[in-house]
Amino acid sequence: MVPVADLNTIVARNVRAERARKGWRQRDLAERMGWSVGMISDTESGQRRIGVSDLPLFCSAFGVPLADLLRGAEPKDLTPLGL
């Protein structure tokens, strides 16, 4: 049986992918969000849990809808977010 990634892992993966698509370094994203490079690194590696209040910051920095950051998530994982 293949393990299913949790919501944090999915968002972290999608943040890394979106940053790569834009050709940004972690420093570029950190500056746009007002975060440290360490916070971005910890978020992308899964060492820092992504809070619901973080999601709009990522969406704004990337200029993408929330659905892009949640792509690949199980519907049951999105229910607590009201989605």
Side-chain angles (χ1 to χ4, degrees), residues 33 35 43 48-59 69:
M33 292 184 62
W35 285 14
T43 298
R48 180 183 177 281
R49 303 258 339 140
I50 297 169
V52 172
S53 61
D54 298 333
L55 295 173
L57 297 173
F58 283 109
C59 291
L69 295 182

Side-chain angles (χ1 to χ4, degrees), residues 15-83:
V15 164
R16 277 192 311 273
E18 188 62 33
R19 184 176 58 75
R21 273 192 288 281
K22 295 202 178 292
W24 294 351
R25 299 168 299 158
Q26 287 182 337
R27 176 172 306 287
D28 299 324
L29 180 56
E31 288 173 359
R32 284 172 170 80
M33 292 184 62
W35 285 14
S36 70
V37 174
M39 286 177 70
I40 298 296
S41 177
D42 289 349
T43 298
E44 289 185 355
S45 68
Q47 294 179 15
R48 180 183 177 281
R49 303 258 339 140
I50 297 169
V52 172
S53 61
D54 298 333
L55 295 173
L57 297 173
F58 283 109
C59 291
S60 178
F62 288 132
V64 300
L66 181 59
D68 287 0
L69 295 182
L70 301 177
R71 185 170 291 119
E74 292 289 320
K76 68 178 176 57
D77 293 333
L78 301 177
T79 302
L81 297 177
L83 303 171

